[in-house]
């Protein structure tokens, strides 16, 4: 299976809550990445040019990164890796997480379109929900200060943990720290991407992940266990075409925040399932120009159309990408732990790394959910005008 096929199957396993299938996909994914890294290593075995290595995805490590991954190799190779990692004193460099975040944005358009921040080792993050601030002439009063600071909210990063299992083949350890870093980084990127995209698109429960784009933030009920809030999905807007009047009405709902304050519209995105893109969105947004060539993704208002397997078929999400905030970072000690739980790979030891992450729409009017079940293909309207005599 190709990596795309594996990732699509992982997304389906998440939707079906099929843990066994998800773990099988993780095995397939790790083998796919292992083959990619080994193939790249064989190809570059004689080449020590850092620029060429970097162009093939093998980064020139900083001194701290090299120290960390060399020490990690020693721990992985020890007879008692659990004890070695327990005594491990070297912290994963922040630059490694920076690179993971950069790779996430480069390789996953949805994560590039939102406000994705590396929160490093911070577990409490302040964000501003306001898009419209009006200055007042005169003295600063308590009422004005209260209004200006009312938009600042706190997001607890420690509530959400993304756990990634890293099956490390012995063959990768023999290649050295640069290749181990590349392998670990790819595992982290794909694990984070799948977990984040699914949560960003679908999760309604604050106890199990970030609040998704589809959540109606005005309709939440406290969980019976007392550990968070479960929101309901926004009512879908049925659309049958992408004519200017239809799109204009959708964009108009985004033009004010949930306090009814106006804002400038920018960075509009539409997130759709890949199958729907080719069967519904592509026909509805592709037109032939006067020169006989076709133009795709043509919309009455500029927006980026993003494919994501996390989106269910027959629906689409339209909204302001930078009005969805996600923060991701690590525990301060940057620990990788040995795991006895998932021994589903031969000749590998399986390790566990935990990252903190959380996210939410910054206001309730940032995203609209569409029902595109009966979306029609684009048509060109031609009118015949007869000059009056």
């Amino acid at each position: 299976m190709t990596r795309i096929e594996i990732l699509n199957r992982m997304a389906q396993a998440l939707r079906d809550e099929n843990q066994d299938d998800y773990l099988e996909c993780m095995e397939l994914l790790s083998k796919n990445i292992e083959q990619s890294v080994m193939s790249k290593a064989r190809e570059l075995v004689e080449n020590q040019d850092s620029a060429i290595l970097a162009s093939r995805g093998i980064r020139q490590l900083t001194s701290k990164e090299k120290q960390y991954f060399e020490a990690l190799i020693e721990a992985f190779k020890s007879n008692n890796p659990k004890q070695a990692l327990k005594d491990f004193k070297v912290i994963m460099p922040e630059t490694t997480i920076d690179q993971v975040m950069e790779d996430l944005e480069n390789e996953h358009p949805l994560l590039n379109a939102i406000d994705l921040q590396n929160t490093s080792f911070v577990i409490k993050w302040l964000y501003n929900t306001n898009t419209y601030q009006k200055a007042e002439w005169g003295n600063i009063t308590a009422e004005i200060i209260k209004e200006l600071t009312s938009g600042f909210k706190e997001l607890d990063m420690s509530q959400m943990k993304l756990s990634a299992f890293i099956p490390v083949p012995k063959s990768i350890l023999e290649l050295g720290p640069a290749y181990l870093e590349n392998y670990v980084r790819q595992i982290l990127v794909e694990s984070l991407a799948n977990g984040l995209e699914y949560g960003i698109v679908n999760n309604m429960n604050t106890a199990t992940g970030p609040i998704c784009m589809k959540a109606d933030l005005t309709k939440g009920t406290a969980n019976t266990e007392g550990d968070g809030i479960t929101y309901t999905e926004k009512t879908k807007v049925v659309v049958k075409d992408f004519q200017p009047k239809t799109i204009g009405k959708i964009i108009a709902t985004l033009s004010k925040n949930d306090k009814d304050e106006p804002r400038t519209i920018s960075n509009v995105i539409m997130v759709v399932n890949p199958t729907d893109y080719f069967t519904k969105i592509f026909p509805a947004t592709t037109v032939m120009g006067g020169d006989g060539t076709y133009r795709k993704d043509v919309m009455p208002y500029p927006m980026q159309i993003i494919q994501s397997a996390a989106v269910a078929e027959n629906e689409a999400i339209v909204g302001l990408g930078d009005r969805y905030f996600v923060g991701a970072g690590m525990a301060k000690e940057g620990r990788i732990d040995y795991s006895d739980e998932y021994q589903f790979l031969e000749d590998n030891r399986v390790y566990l790394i935990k990252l903190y992450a959380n996210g939410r729409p910054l206001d309730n009017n940032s995203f609209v959910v569409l029902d595109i079940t009966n979306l029609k293909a684009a048509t060109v309207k031609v009118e015949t005008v007869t000059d009056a005599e």
Side-chain angles (χ1 to χ4, degrees):
M1 296 175 69
T2 66
R3 190 176 300 190
I4 294 297
E5 290 172 332
I6 296 170
L7 295 176
N8 286 338
R9 185 174 160 189
M10 289 178 77
Q12 187 61 50
L14 282 170
R15 280 195 290 273
D16 297 339
E17 297 183 1
N18 188 330
Q19 182 177 358
D20 292 338
D21 199 34
Y22 188 85
L23 290 175
E24 185 179 337
C25 289
M26 276 300 300
E27 178 179 354
L28 292 171
L29 179 63
S30 66
K31 286 182 177 178
N32 181 282
I33 293 174
E34 177 192 351
Q35 290 167 2
S36 173
V37 173
M38 292 299 295
S39 174
K40 194 175 297 180
R42 285 192 292 269
E43 181 183 335
L44 300 174
V45 67
E46 300 296 334
N47 201 313
Q48 298 301 317
D49 189 313
S50 60
I52 293 177
L53 290 173
S55 71
R56 306 292 179 88
I58 308 301
R59 295 173 57 236
Q60 183 76 11
L61 303 185
T62 66
S63 58
K64 287 186 177 180
E65 289 173 335
K66 188 175 181 181
Q67 178 190 7
Y68 175 82
F69 283 99
E70 284 179 340
L72 204 58
I73 288 172
E74 288 185 22
F76 286 165
K77 286 183 173 181
S78 69
N79 293 327
N80 189 348
K82 179 179 286 190
Q83 185 62 45
L85 289 171
K86 185 177 180 181
D87 298 336
F88 200 67
K89 302 299 182 184
V90 187
I91 297 174
M92 178 178 280
E94 191 175 334
T95 50
T96 299
I97 301 301
D98 283 336
Q99 188 62 48
V100 167
M101 302 295 280
E102 185 178 327
D103 292 346
L104 276 171
E105 294 183 350
N106 290 340
E107 298 172 22
H108 296 271
L110 176 58
L111 300 181
N112 185 45
I114 64 174
D115 183 13
L116 178 62
Q117 299 281 343
N118 178 7
T119 59
S120 302
F121 307 127
V122 176
I123 60 173
K124 301 284 187 181
W125 189 268
L126 285 178
Y127 63 94
N128 188 5
T129 62
N130 285 335
T131 55
Y132 181 78
Q133 299 280 14
K134 185 174 68 172
E136 296 283 351
W137 291 101
N139 294 330
I140 296 294
T141 65
E143 191 62 33
I144 293 174
I145 293 174
K146 180 180 178 181
E147 174 64 24
L148 291 176
T149 58
S150 65
F152 285 95
K153 307 293 182 183
E154 185 181 88
L155 196 63
D156 189 347
M157 311 305 299
S158 65
Q159 289 181 346
M160 300 295 114
K161 292 185 180 69
L162 278 170
S163 298
F165 290 96
I166 305 177
V168 182
K170 297 174 184 176
S171 55
I172 296 291
L173 300 180
E174 300 303 326
L175 296 176
Y179 287 93
L180 177 60
E181 187 270 352
N182 179 262
Y183 176 80
V184 168
R185 181 159 44 87
Q186 288 192 56
I187 292 282
L188 289 180
V189 166
E190 298 300 352
S191 299
L192 268 173
N194 277 279
L196 284 177
E197 283 204 15
Y198 183 82
I200 289 167
V201 170
N202 296 296
N203 189 65
M204 299 285 179
N205 186 349
T206 60
T208 58
I211 305 172
C212 72
M213 293 174 173
K214 299 190 295 184
D216 187 338
L217 302 181
T218 67
K219 297 179 180 178
T221 56
N223 297 334
T224 54
E225 299 83 0
D227 59 348
I229 298 173
T230 297
Y231 292 95
T232 58
E233 184 176 331
K234 291 180 176 179
T235 301
K236 293 179 183 176
V237 177
V238 178
V239 294
K240 297 182 179 180
D241 59 61
F242 284 157
Q243 294 298 316
K245 186 176 181 180
T246 304
I247 295 298
K249 189 175 180 180
I250 294 168
I251 300 297
T253 64
L254 307 175
S255 64
K256 291 184 178 181
N257 64 19
D258 52 13
K259 297 178 182 177
D260 206 33
E261 297 167 338
R263 60 184 169 203
T264 303
I265 296 296
S266 63
N267 191 26
V268 180
I269 62 174
M270 174 183 286
V271 192
V272 297
N273 182 278
T275 300
D276 276 343
Y277 174 79
F278 289 105
T279 59
K280 293 183 173 68
I281 304 298
F282 180 72
T285 60
T286 301
V287 296
M288 180 183 287
D291 59 356
T293 61
Y294 283 95
R295 294 162 176 78
K296 68 181 181 68
D297 296 349
V298 177
M299 297 288 278
Y301 190 88
M303 65 179 69
Q304 181 186 4
I305 300 177
I306 298 171
Q307 300 176 45
S308 173
V311 180
E313 293 185 20
N314 294 319
E315 73 177 31
I317 303 170
V318 173
L320 308 177
D322 53 10
R323 296 295 294 167
Y324 191 96
F325 170 78
V326 168
M330 289 196 70
K332 191 169 184 179
E333 65 272 16
R335 285 279 297 275
I336 290 181
D337 296 320
Y338 181 78
S339 174
D340 291 318
E341 299 176 22
Y342 292 93
Q343 297 296 339
F344 51 84
L345 293 169
E346 296 180 0
D347 296 324
N348 296 333
R349 282 175 172 163
V350 181
Y351 302 89
L352 174 67
I353 186 169
K354 292 181 180 179
L355 298 99
Y356 293 132
N358 210 341
R360 58 170 297 140
L362 297 187
D363 67 78
N364 201 45
N365 291 353
S366 295
F367 297 93
V368 178
V369 185
L370 307 182
D371 180 345
I372 59 171
T373 304
N374 298 312
L375 184 64
K376 299 175 183 176
T379 57
V380 178
K381 186 177 180 181
V382 179
E383 293 183 356
T384 301
V385 178
T386 305
D387 293 335
E389 294 182 357

